[in-house]
Amino acid sequence: MLQHIHQSQLSNWERFYRANFINSLSGFKSAALIGTINEAGITNLAIFSNIVHIGADPSLIGFINRPKAAAPHTLQNIEHNKVYTINSIPAGMIEKAHQTSAKYNDNISEFDAVGLTPHFLPSVLAPFVEESPVKYALELVEIVPITHNNTFLVIGTITDVLVPSQLIASDGFIELHKADVVTTLGIDAYFGTQPLGRFSYAKPNQPLATI
Amino acid sequence: MLQHIHQSQLSNWERFYRANFINSLSGFKSAALIGTINEAGITNLAIFSNIVHIGADPSLIGFINRPKAAAPHTLQNIEHNKVYTINSIPAGMIEKAHQTSAKYNDNISEFDAVGLTPHFLPSVLAPFVEESPVKYALELVEIVPITHNNTFLVIGTITDVLVPSQLIASDGFIELHKADVVTTLGIDAYFGTQPLGRFSYAKPNQPLATI
């Protein structure tokens, strides 16, 4: 039965029920680990699920960072170094990835705490996740404050990509499903994917072709 | 073989190859149809894949709108009416959903062109998609210009949700996979999903439980 839920009901719901509901309503999302390093040289790793493609030329990727009080370390490190990595999560890594959301003290590296391996490139002042099949480094472009709820849209441009060549299709598409990269829904659910199809550029009055 | 691709290579790639690569690099995304209506009363429907959860209290959902010259109708209608709907895409609807990305004249409704049915609530000045299992209406909160590439982060708050009661778990989580709602990757690829698990709220030095 199709239920009609009005704004006034939403705002009266118990906090965690509402968070589960609203977080899953907007659909499947990218889940990835953001790697940074602090002034003392301690690596930080945190799972983020609100990553958004902003543009391909220049390459701009954004993510939503929660209010500073709730999630300070990643944003502090990015503000300081202007550099961070985004690392994909394959199905076998979901438990470790989820565990990075625990509030560890800032003298503890989540890499050690959850059992993942930092990997460095000489030119990038942020750790990659060795075990992630696809990963990329970004240089900070802008932090846009979203005043309505004290969150931030953090925008970066891609400086380095590490990707297995066999995942790159002839037209540049990256077949992330072949590396078992997951998608996420709501606050805490992880999903595998299976391809349904790719379609050609759509034009009025012209049937789509599959790619 | 892990390939290292540097920024300088990315910017030299052929435009469509780069677009496919960068769009898929950031991972699986929500795909949904945004419904609006113009001043002449003609309904508009367009697929968007960069939808982002911003907050649950107040409920804030954002999406990235391309530059105005490339994708004018949805944004014009939202600016005028301050109201729009976001409608989920089940596997059986992906071809029609993709076809809404064709550049139709503004006197043509994509509902008619692709064969989907507009559904109205008396209180909402925007069409829902009858065939979408889960859908919600939003009131415009803010349009944030992203100056680096002339795109926009459009932020709305949820006013009405239409959702089958049987998809709502006891803790508020919406089991979108049970309605075959798809996820998308890159510019043109659609995927079904299968659940891998949900995990409890993570705390340091405490093993995760599955939900």
Side-chain angles (χ1 to χ4, degrees):
Chain A
M1 203 203 86
L2 204 62
Q3 202 175 335
H4 181 180
I5 299 160
H6 190 264
Q7 190 165 29
S8 56
Q9 291 167 268
L10 289 179
S11 53
N12 284 324
W13 279 351
E14 186 274 328
R15 181 182 157 208
F16 292 104
Y17 187 94
R18 180 179 52 236
N20 280 324
F21 185 88
I22 303 290
N23 268 278
S24 35
L25 187 61
S26 55
F28 293 97
K29 300 174 284 193
S30 176
L33 292 165
I34 298 190
T36 55
I37 191 163
N38 73 11
E39 287 183 69
I42 294 167
T43 53
N44 187 278
L45 192 65
I47 189 166
F48 282 81
S49 65
N50 288 296
I51 294 167
V52 67
H53 170 85
I54 297 179
D57 185 25
S59 67
L60 295 173
I61 309 254
F63 73 90
I64 302 293
N65 199 95
R66 296 168 63 208
K68 281 192 183 178
H73 297 156
T74 297
L75 196 55
Q76 273 167 11
N77 294 345
I78 292 176
E79 284 178 322
H80 187 259
N81 294 329
K82 321 286 187 214
V83 172
Y84 52 109
T85 68
I86 299 185
N87 305 269
S88 64
I89 302 171
M93 199 200 281
I94 54 175
E95 199 156 347
K96 290 177 176 182
H98 190 80
Q99 183 62 33
T100 65
S101 62
K103 290 191 201 321
Y104 293 100
N105 291 334
D106 61 3
N107 61 345
I108 290 176
S109 169
E110 289 82 2
F111 280 98
D112 299 332
V114 310
L116 289 169
T117 316
H119 170 75
F120 283 93
L121 289 183
S123 58
V124 177
L125 191 62
F128 292 91
V129 178
E130 177 81 42
E131 294 85 351
S132 290
V134 176
K135 43 211 167 195
Y136 50 105
L138 299 103
E139 191 176 85
L140 178 64
V141 168
E142 187 183 3
I143 298 176
V144 183
I146 298 174
T147 53
H148 304 281
N149 67 349
N150 299 316
T151 56
F152 301 88
L153 173 64
V154 182
I155 303 176
T157 189
I158 298 165
T159 61
D160 300 85
V161 182
L162 296 172
V163 54
S165 6
Q166 65 273 22
L167 292 185
I168 309 175
S170 58
D171 62 359
F173 180 74
I174 309 174
E175 302 185 302
L176 293 180
H177 55 289
K178 293 193 175 164
D180 280 337
V181 170
V182 302
T183 178
T184 180
L185 180 62
I187 292 170
D188 51 28
Y190 301 88
F191 289 78
T193 67
Q194 72 269 97
L196 297 171
R198 294 181 65 192
F199 295 117
S200 56
Y201 185 82
K203 294 179 178 174
N205 309 314
Q206 192 176 297
L208 291 173
T210 53
I211 295 177
Chain B
M1 202 203 88
L2 205 61
Q3 203 176 334
H4 180 181
I5 299 160
H6 190 264
Q7 192 164 27
S8 56
Q9 291 167 267
L10 289 179
S11 51
N12 284 324
W13 279 351
E14 185 275 326
R15 180 181 158 209
F16 291 104
Y17 188 94
R18 179 177 55 234
N20 280 323
F21 185 88
I22 302 291
N23 268 277
S24 37
L25 186 62
S26 55
F28 293 98
K29 300 174 285 193
S30 176
L33 291 165
I34 298 192
T36 54
I37 191 164
N38 74 10
E39 288 185 67
I42 294 167
T43 55
N44 187 278
L45 192 65
I47 190 166
F48 282 81
S49 65
N50 289 297
I51 295 168
V52 66
H53 171 86
I54 297 178
D57 187 24
S59 66
L60 295 173
I61 311 254
F63 72 89
I64 302 293
N65 198 97
R66 295 167 63 207
K68 281 192 185 178
H73 297 157
T74 297
L75 196 56
Q76 274 168 9
N77 295 344
I78 292 176
E79 286 179 320
H80 187 259
N81 294 329
K82 321 287 189 213
V83 172
Y84 51 109
T85 68
I86 298 185
N87 304 269
S88 64
I89 301 170
M93 198 199 284
I94 54 175
E95 200 158 344
K96 289 177 176 183
H98 190 78
Q99 183 62 34
T100 65
S101 64
K103 289 191 202 320
Y104 293 100
N105 290 334
D106 62 4
N107 62 344
I108 291 175
S109 169
E110 288 81 4
F111 281 98
D112 299 332
V114 310
L116 290 169
T117 315
H119 169 76
F120 284 93
L121 289 181
S123 59
V124 177
L125 191 61
F128 292 92
V129 178
E130 177 81 43
E131 293 85 352
S132 290
V134 176
K135 43 211 166 194
Y136 50 106
L138 300 103
E139 189 176 271
L140 178 65
V141 168
E142 187 182 1
I143 298 176
V144 182
I146 298 172
T147 53
H148 305 282
N149 66 349
N150 300 315
T151 57
F152 300 88
L153 173 64
V154 181
I155 303 176
T157 189
I158 297 166
T159 61
D160 300 86
V161 183
L162 295 172
V163 55
S165 3
Q166 65 273 21
L167 293 185
I168 309 175
S170 59
D171 62 359
F173 179 74
I174 310 174
E175 302 184 302
L176 293 180
H177 56 290
K178 294 193 175 164
D180 281 336
V181 170
V182 301
T183 178
T184 180
L185 179 62
I187 292 171
D188 52 27
Y190 300 88
F191 289 78
T193 68
Q194 72 269 97
L196 296 171
R198 293 181 63 193
F199 295 117
S200 56
Y201 185 83
K203 293 178 179 177
N205 310 314
Q206 190 175 300
L208 292 173
T210 52
I211 296 178

